[in-house]
Amino acid sequence: MEQIKVTLTETIKVLLEEKKFSTLRDILVTMRPYDIAAVFEELQDEKTPILFRILPKELAAETFVEMDDETQEFLIHGFSDSELKEIVDELFVDDAVDLIEEMPANVVKRILRQADKDMRKQINELLKYPEDSAGSIMTTEFISLRPDMTAEMAIKRIRRTGVDKETIYTCYVNDDNNTLIGITTVKDLLLADDDAPVKDLMEENVISVHTLDDQEEVAQMFSNYNFLALPVVDKEGRIVGIVTIDDAIDVIQEEATEDIEKMAAVLPSDKPYMKTSVWGIYKKRVPWLLVLMLSATFTSTIISSFEGILASVIILSSFIPMITGSGGNAGSQASVSVIRALSLGEIEFKSMFVVLWKELRVSFFCGLTLAVANFVKLMIFDLRGAENSLLIALVVSLTILGTIMMSKLVGSSLPLIASKIGFDPAVMANPLISTVCDSLSLLIYFGVAKTVLRL
Amino acid sequence: MEQIKVTLTETIKVLLEEKKFSTLRDILVTMRPYDIAAVFEELQDEKTPILFRILPKELAAETFVEMDDETQEFLIHGFSDSELKEIVDELFVDDAVDLIEEMPANVVKRILRQADKDMRKQINELLKYPEDSAGSIMTTEFISLRPDMTAEMAIKRIRRTGVDKETIYTCYVNDDNNTLIGITTVKDLLLADDDAPVKDLMEENVISVHTLDDQEEVAQMFSNYNFLALPVVDKEGRIVGIVTIDDAIDVIQEEATEDIEKMAAVLPSDKPYMKTSVWGIYKKRVPWLLVLMLSATFTSTIISSFEGILASVIILSSFIPMITGSGGNAGSQASVSVIRALSLGEIEFKSMFVVLWKELRVSFFCGLTLAVANFVKLMIFDLRGAENSLLIALVVSLTILGTIMMSKLVGSSLPLIASKIGFDPAVMANPLISTVCDSLSLLIYFGVAKTVLRL
């Protein structure tokens, strides 16, 4: 599919140069907004405003929403005020807000000037909500019904007002104070008798979120409860907007990417990898690399202070990377399991002791398996015929057992503690835990060596 | 919320012991299937079949679908055949298939015996599709229309047949050969004139997937194109089912979890952490720990073969964990960026050289920053007054630069190569790449030390 898209972009480029506008239109109207946006992003030249003008109005707005911010900004600069107004009029309010959040101040001013008064008011309302809150991803356009309408009246109302609502399938029933008292669906309205009152068709136990709730929790609710949309209410219980499932999916993808990045000690970014500059990537990666490198001073200090042991049994130093590596791997296995369970809402801090008890047993069996495998390997291969081979193999294998157990306990408890004190558990993943485990495993190593080898 | 759920489970337990069935029913009908399922999972005792019988039929089926397989199996053992039939009759076909895939053979036989002939046929059809294919997650229940129906007839048809279809909002238009020729939505049908023909209301450029397409690609299409459902067609272009967005969200979550697990060297599992036994977790973790520990033999061998250098400048051994650690971190930063971009469909193998050129520059600047910081730190703190301090600081800093560059290039290219030769890129993440980078960085270290210190 990717292959086809590229050829298509080239075809479109040629047609554009030859000014075959009606052919271009024929091609574009068969395509999806997401794919047309990809073509624009690949083109990125001064002819794109011409191509954009070829698109029918609604398709143009839908395509515009799918583009990255550079392409959007580039196009806006090429628009006349009336062209800009046409696009802005077609946008859903939440998409307009997303656009405004990405644009520089002068472009924002131009956009707001073109929006009609009512939309400008709604945009300004939405802009007040903090980033990553339910309020910031909701749309203020939805179908509201009254409890005493009949199914037939409700359907009529939807038919009359529904054309510019982002989703019409879930309808919200409000009382006279605009308090949300129930929800119903187009499916239920259609399948009911014409004169059935809405209040008999509505679900009164409405699950809603507050404007300030975290977007990740909101997205998780979509996945638990199979909603298509979720109402957002203010402190007084009045419905102020809805979050639709397409935005929830975007949040789920973004949050997973963010978790993965944090786990690999990359500062989270909201731009795709291929669209981030070298400098942008550098800035996301170098801080953690520096912090982790400097904190590795502990390991250097520990090794230096046991130089005597290493000097007398020089072969001990050759097992250091294997020991710290195994510890790091064991720790990150545990931390990743716990972090993912935390972000899917499966566990929370109060399960700490259940988790630790589980990890204690898992780590004992993992550690024992590795220690035995390692002992056999050392005796048969690495240390064959070496001086003190039995004792050294014993030191290394005992260290492995201790290191695996310590790493898994550290790896599983740090994310839980982080979540308790309000930090993001994902930051506690691999790199930070590896650094902690590195130091601790060296202490175990030298401690065991000192005891067993009587150094 | 979690807090409340626990208290609720306890309340329900007490009410159950006191046989207050009508109170229980009043409580349960206010709750969502997902939350009721959580109560059942927490209860897990012989009284749950009684509690289950209290639920109204439809809610009972919806709740049953949300339970984990242990609770489902436990309940089924407590059901009479006619009770089981009631549940099976209420299930959507795709949910019934999910259930059957998790149950042991004897339970499967009981379930299939209770399903009516038509449903049994549909279940058997779906069971033929390979795991993780579009066919395996689709449902065979959907609304199909003919192009020459009017909007009014279409709505009537939906009202007549829609009650047991999982989603009615997207309707599929087929010609006489059952070939999918267009889609339309309830929204479009409702907003159109009563006598408008369906063929004028349908979108003819239908995006569909094939039964054997990978579920991850299918889920990604939902996120790109904002669909609520996606038609699944066979080789002849006939529609055989639809994938609905709730199943797509589950796939997105599962695939993200799987990627995260693979990146941390855990074999992927489909059970939540808290519900996996100690033995289950052990089996998922120990294979990679063993493989990685044994492959660390390379690092031991490398260190042993440079024992002479270490013996003459013993302080060099104290920087080994810092160097291999920084290399591992730099490598996993790069690999994670590339792996995530691959699974979101942002890049593919043919972008290899663009990626490498990007990483080359990023890694040079990261490496330089770390090398300079490290040099300053070594000269001011660690090596102050030590013999040969300038040369040793130079060796360590040059090694850092080389290690970071090597690690980022290895980290970014291995996942791309894996994707090219048909392996899962996520397996190439942190642990495996760290092991490769550990060996290479030691070779760089001893090479630089030999040259600069003339050993």
Side-chain angles (χ1 to χ4, degrees):
Chain A
M1 224 169 82
E2 190 72 20
Q3 198 59 41
I4 295 167
K5 210 193 290 171
V6 173
T7 338
L8 195 62
T9 307
E10 282 155 10
T11 316
I12 288 175
K13 209 167 180 173
V14 174
L15 288 170
L16 202 54
E17 270 157 24
E18 291 173 356
K19 304 199 167 132
K20 299 256 166 91
F21 297 131
S22 73
T23 314
L24 278 170
R25 191 184 160 102
D26 287 347
I27 295 175
L28 291 174
V29 294
T30 68
M31 291 168 66
R32 304 274 148 179
Y34 175 82
D35 296 323
I36 306 177
V39 170
F40 273 89
E41 285 166 20
E42 279 175 31
L43 282 174
Q44 276 277 18
D45 78 353
E46 56 223 69
K47 293 229 177 62
T48 47
I50 301 173
L51 186 62
F52 194 76
R53 280 178 202 119
I54 297 172
L55 294 170
K57 222 162 62 175
E58 204 186 317
L59 186 59
E62 285 170 7
T63 303
F64 191 75
V65 169
E66 298 286 344
M67 294 175 187
D68 62 29
D69 32 322
E70 281 152 45
T71 314
Q72 287 173 332
E73 200 183 330
F74 184 82
L75 277 176
I76 292 179
H77 285 303
F79 287 160
S80 71
D81 279 355
S82 66
E83 279 172 328
L84 184 58
K85 184 170 173 51
E86 270 186 20
I87 295 293
V88 173
D89 283 347
E90 286 285 330
L91 290 181
F92 289 117
V93 174
D94 59 337
D95 292 330
V97 170
D98 288 347
L99 176 65
I100 282 172
E101 280 173 341
E102 299 298 331
M103 293 294 117
N106 59 334
V107 178
V108 170
K109 269 189 205 149
R110 267 194 75 197
I111 295 172
L112 285 178
R113 235 180 0 241
Q114 300 314 320
D116 63 35
K117 207 180 133 196
D118 184 49
M119 188 172 196
R120 200 158 54 229
K121 209 183 125 204
Q122 289 184 50
I123 289 174
N124 282 324
E125 277 302 314
L126 287 185
L127 283 173
K128 278 185 213 146
Y129 296 108
E131 209 187 340
D132 296 347
S133 68
S136 76
I137 54 168
M138 73 184 183
T139 177
T140 48
E141 296 157 312
F142 54 90
I143 306 272
S144 53
L145 303 175
R146 297 278 159 181
D148 43 12
M149 288 177 169
T150 63
E152 195 184 5
M153 285 161 69
I155 294 282
K156 271 205 186 122
R157 187 182 156 86
I158 294 168
R159 293 179 73 152
R160 206 173 57 241
T161 64
V163 74
D164 61 343
K165 307 293 177 187
E166 191 165 354
T167 175
I168 63 162
Y169 300 126
T170 313
C171 309
Y172 302 88
V173 188
N174 299 318
D175 67 10
D176 296 338
N177 301 319
N178 256 330
T179 308
L180 179 64
I181 55 169
I183 60 168
T184 186
T185 62
V186 167
K187 181 173 167 181
D188 289 334
L189 291 171
L190 276 181
L191 302 178
D193 290 333
D194 280 346
D195 51 0
V198 165
K199 63 171 169 288
D200 291 351
L201 301 171
M202 72 189 190
E203 164 72 68
E204 285 173 66
N205 272 285
V206 184
I207 292 199
S208 59
V209 294
H210 280 269
T211 48
L212 299 182
D213 284 354
D214 188 79
Q215 62 172 7
E216 191 172 3
E217 281 168 46
V218 177
Q220 191 55 44
M221 290 174 79
F222 276 88
S223 126
N224 292 346
Y225 297 112
N226 298 342
F227 293 137
L228 293 181
L230 196 53
V232 184
V233 297
D234 63 13
K235 273 185 225 149
E236 283 76 36
R238 285 177 308 226
I239 179 166
V240 290
I242 60 171
V243 176
T244 51
I245 195 164
D246 52 320
D247 295 320
I249 287 191
D250 291 344
V251 170
I252 288 174
Q253 297 272 41
E254 273 168 35
E255 297 284 346
T257 304
E258 239 184 79
D259 275 6
I260 289 173
E261 285 174 339
K262 281 183 199 149
M263 286 178 195
V266 181
L267 298 179
S269 70
D270 44 14
K271 265 194 178 179
Y273 175 75
M274 290 302 268
K275 290 190 179 142
T276 315
S277 65
V278 167
W279 177 239
I281 297 179
Y282 169 84
K283 279 193 298 182
K284 298 287 174 198
R285 291 189 188 171
V286 89
W288 270 115
L289 283 181
L290 267 175
V291 168
L292 294 170
M293 184 185 76
L294 295 180
S295 60
T297 308
F298 291 114
T299 57
S300 308
T301 314
I302 292 169
I303 294 177
S304 304
S305 65
F306 290 97
E307 249 175 33
I309 293 182
L310 284 179
S312 60
V313 194
I314 190 88
I315 198 165
L316 286 180
S317 71
S318 71
F319 301 114
I320 289 178
M322 189 265 286
I323 289 166
T324 56
S326 296
N329 291 332
S332 66
Q333 286 184 332
S335 70
V336 155
S337 302
V338 171
I339 290 167
R340 188 66 185 158
L342 278 168
S343 49
L344 293 179
E346 287 164 13
I347 55 173
E348 45 191 312
F349 182 72
K350 65 168 189 199
S351 324
M352 179 98 170
F353 291 101
V354 183
V355 171
L356 285 182
W357 170 232
K358 197 164 214 168
E359 289 295 333
L360 189 71
R361 287 173 292 165
V362 171
S363 66
F364 177 75
F365 295 121
C366 283
L368 197 65
T369 311
L370 264 66
V372 170
N374 190 59
F375 188 83
V376 171
K377 170 177 163 284
L378 287 180
M379 292 306 289
I380 297 182
F381 301 104
D382 309 59
L383 295 175
R384 187 145 60 162
E387 208 184 331
N388 270 336
S389 60
L390 188 67
L391 284 182
I392 292 173
L394 197 65
V395 167
V396 176
S397 301
L398 283 177
T399 304
I400 288 280
L401 175 62
T403 298
I404 301 287
M405 292 187 69
M406 173 278 298
S407 302
K408 287 216 182 280
L409 293 179
V410 169
S412 55
S413 52
L414 284 191
L416 284 165
I417 294 170
S419 80
K420 177 71 180 174
I421 57 178
F423 283 114
D424 186 335
V427 176
M428 288 296 165
N430 316 355
L432 201 60
I433 283 175
S434 297
T435 306
V436 173
C437 292
D438 279 356
S439 299
L440 293 177
S441 55
L442 287 173
L443 289 176
I444 295 175
Y445 192 27
F446 292 121
V448 172
K450 246 176 130 167
T451 316
V452 175
L453 301 175
R454 296 166 205 273
L455 292 166
Chain B
M1 226 165 80
E2 190 74 21
Q3 198 59 44
I4 295 167
K5 210 191 295 174
V6 173
T7 337
L8 195 61
T9 307
E10 282 156 10
T11 316
I12 288 174
K13 211 166 178 170
V14 174
L15 288 170
L16 203 52
E17 273 157 23
E18 294 172 356
K19 303 198 168 143
K20 297 258 166 88
F21 298 132
S22 74
T23 315
L24 278 168
R25 191 184 160 103
D26 287 348
I27 296 174
L28 292 173
V29 294
T30 68
M31 292 168 66
R32 304 274 148 180
Y34 175 82
D35 295 324
I36 305 177
V39 170
F40 273 88
E41 285 165 21
E42 280 176 31
L43 282 176
Q44 276 278 19
D45 76 357
E46 55 224 70
K47 293 230 178 60
T48 47
I50 301 173
L51 186 63
F52 193 77
R53 279 178 203 120
I54 296 172
L55 293 170
K57 221 162 64 175
E58 203 185 319
L59 187 59
E62 284 170 9
T63 303
F64 192 75
V65 169
E66 298 286 344
M67 293 175 188
D68 62 27
D69 30 322
E70 280 153 45
T71 315
Q72 287 173 332
E73 201 184 329
F74 184 81
L75 277 176
I76 291 179
H77 284 304
F79 287 160
S80 70
D81 279 355
S82 66
E83 279 172 330
L84 183 58
K85 183 170 174 52
E86 269 187 19
I87 296 295
V88 173
D89 283 348
E90 285 286 328
L91 290 180
F92 289 117
V93 174
D94 58 339
D95 292 329
V97 170
D98 288 346
L99 175 66
I100 282 172
E101 279 172 343
E102 299 299 331
M103 292 294 117
N106 58 333
V107 179
V108 170
K109 269 190 208 150
R110 265 195 76 197
I111 295 172
L112 285 178
R113 230 176 6 234
Q114 300 315 318
D116 63 35
K117 205 180 135 198
D118 185 46
M119 188 171 196
R120 200 157 55 228
K121 206 182 129 206
Q122 290 183 51
I123 289 174
N124 281 324
E125 277 302 316
L126 287 184
L127 283 173
K128 279 186 212 146
Y129 296 108
E131 211 188 340
D132 297 346
S133 68
S136 76
I137 55 167
M138 74 184 183
T139 176
T140 47
E141 295 157 313
F142 53 89
I143 305 271
S144 54
L145 303 175
R146 297 278 159 182
D148 43 10
M149 287 177 171
T150 63
E152 196 185 4
M153 285 160 68
I155 294 281
K156 271 205 187 122
R157 188 183 156 83
I158 294 168
R159 292 177 74 152
R160 205 173 56 239
T161 64
V163 75
D164 61 343
K165 308 290 177 189
E166 190 164 355
T167 175
I168 63 161
Y169 299 128
T170 313
C171 309
Y172 301 88
V173 188
N174 299 318
D175 67 9
D176 296 337
N177 301 320
N178 256 331
T179 307
L180 179 65
I181 55 170
I183 60 168
T184 185
T185 62
V186 167
K187 181 173 168 180
D188 289 334
L189 292 171
L190 275 180
L191 301 177
D193 291 332
D194 280 346
D195 51 0
V198 165
K199 63 170 170 286
D200 291 352
L201 301 172
M202 72 187 189
E203 164 71 71
E204 286 172 67
N205 271 286
V206 183
I207 292 198
S208 60
V209 293
H210 280 269
T211 47
L212 298 181
D213 284 353
D214 187 78
Q215 63 171 6
E216 190 172 5
E217 280 168 46
V218 176
Q220 192 54 43
M221 290 174 81
F222 276 88
S223 128
N224 293 346
Y225 296 112
N226 297 342
F227 293 136
L228 292 183
L230 196 53
V232 184
V233 297
D234 63 13
K235 274 186 225 149
E236 283 75 36
R238 286 177 306 221
I239 179 166
V240 290
I242 60 170
V243 176
T244 51
I245 195 164
D246 53 318
D247 295 321
I249 287 190
D250 291 344
V251 170
I252 288 174
Q253 297 271 42
E254 271 168 36
E255 296 285 344
T257 304
E258 238 185 78
D259 275 7
I260 289 173
E261 286 175 339
K262 282 184 198 151
M263 285 177 195
V266 181
L267 297 179
S269 70
D270 45 13
K271 266 197 179 178
Y273 174 75
M274 291 299 269
K275 291 192 179 141
T276 315
S277 65
V278 167
W279 176 240
I281 297 179
Y282 169 84
K283 279 193 297 182
K284 297 289 174 197
R285 290 189 186 169
V286 88
W288 268 113
L289 283 181
L290 267 175
V291 169
L292 294 170
M293 183 185 78
L294 295 180
S295 60
T297 308
F298 291 114
T299 57
S300 308
T301 314
I302 292 169
I303 294 177
S304 304
S305 64
F306 289 99
E307 250 177 32
I309 294 183
L310 285 179
S312 60
V313 194
I314 189 89
I315 198 165
L316 285 180
S317 72
S318 73
F319 300 115
I320 288 179
M322 189 266 285
I323 289 167
T324 55
S326 297
N329 292 332
S332 66
Q333 286 184 332
S335 69
V336 156
S337 302
V338 170
I339 289 167
R340 190 64 186 158
L342 278 169
S343 49
L344 293 179
E346 286 164 12
I347 56 173
E348 45 191 313
F349 182 72
K350 66 172 189 196
S351 326
M352 178 98 171
F353 291 101
V354 183
V355 171
L356 284 183
W357 171 231
K358 197 164 215 169
E359 290 294 334
L360 189 71
R361 289 172 292 164
V362 171
S363 67
F364 177 75
F365 294 121
C366 283
L368 198 66
T369 311
L370 262 67
V372 170
N374 191 59
F375 188 84
V376 171
K377 171 178 163 283
L378 287 180
M379 293 307 288
I380 297 182
F381 300 104
D382 310 56
L383 297 174
R384 189 149 58 166
E387 207 186 333
N388 271 335
S389 62
L390 188 68
L391 284 183
I392 291 174
L394 197 65
V395 167
V396 177
S397 301
L398 283 176
T399 302
I400 288 281
L401 175 60
T403 296
I404 301 287
M405 293 187 69
M406 173 278 297
S407 304
K408 286 214 182 284
L409 293 179
V410 170
S412 55
S413 52
L414 283 192
L416 284 166
I417 293 170
S419 79
K420 178 70 180 173
I421 57 178
F423 282 115
D424 185 335
V427 177
M428 288 296 165
N430 316 354
L432 200 60
I433 283 175
S434 297
T435 306
V436 174
C437 292
D438 279 356
S439 299
L440 294 177
S441 56
L442 287 172
L443 289 176
I444 295 176
Y445 192 28
F446 292 119
V448 173
K450 246 175 133 168
T451 316
V452 175
L453 301 175
R454 293 166 209 275
L455 292 167

